[in-house]
Amino acid sequence: MRRLAIAAAAAIAAGGCGGAAPPSLIALRTQANRICSDASRQIGRIATPRSEAGGEAFLRRGIVALAPEHRQLRSLAAPSEAADVYRAGVGALSGELGALRETAHALAKQADPVIAFRTLQQRLVPLESQADDAWQALQIPACMSR
């Protein structure tokens, strides 16, 4: 149901009354795509750990890449017709970042890495889906799951 609401709101935001997207939405797309592309480049440079022991450092590097992206996306002003959908995307990213931080913290306290990463994956799946729905609806592909 939530996906449907996001898609409907985005269709209105993207299409308006059949005309082109308003300049403020075009500017939002441009800025958000740039922000997310920059973060994606950083994320792409993070090597996958070769052992369970490298899991915490891996997550911390991801957090370092995602935190500025989140902060910058939060600072953008979405036009009113797209604001709810945009907030949903940024909110889901916030949830993803929180889940990463909590998992890194648990690993620092010697949590079982297998359980910690399984739990993280379960938490991330719905958040990533929600974020992807918003970014897709807003036509901001660079922010979709990487």
Side-chain angles (χ1 to χ4, degrees), residues 2-3 6 43 58-59 66 69 85 88-100 117-137 140-141 143-146:
R2 183 165 178 82
R3 281 186 179 184
I6 289 174
I43 292 166
F58 174 75
L59 290 178
L66 287 175
E69 174 190 48
V85 178
V90 174
L93 177 59
S94 179
E96 292 174 43
L97 193 53
L100 293 172
F117 276 99
R118 279 189 190 148
T119 302
L120 175 62
Q121 183 178 12
Q122 290 171 346
R123 289 183 65 194
L124 289 178
V125 167
L127 292 167
E128 289 173 345
S129 179
Q130 181 183 357
D132 284 351
D133 287 348
W135 303 135
Q136 183 175 13
I140 304 174
C143 294
M144 292 182 69
S145 290
R146 307 162 268 248

Side-chain angles (χ1 to χ4, degrees), residues 27-85:
L28 175 71
R29 288 175 179 156
T30 301
Q31 292 169 326
N33 273 311
R34 180 189 48 76
I35 291 165
C36 292
S37 291
D38 291 347
S40 290
R41 278 191 290 281
Q42 283 188 289
I43 292 166
R45 292 186 208 122
I46 301 171
T48 303
R50 297 179 188 252
S51 68
E52 291 177 357
E56 180 189 355
F58 174 75
L59 290 178
R60 298 247 179 244
R61 286 186 202 105
I63 292 164
V64 165
L66 287 175
E69 174 190 48
H70 178 248
R71 186 174 50 255
Q72 291 170 8
L73 289 172
R74 267 194 357 232
S75 74
L76 297 180
S80 60
E81 66 272 12
D84 289 343
V85 178

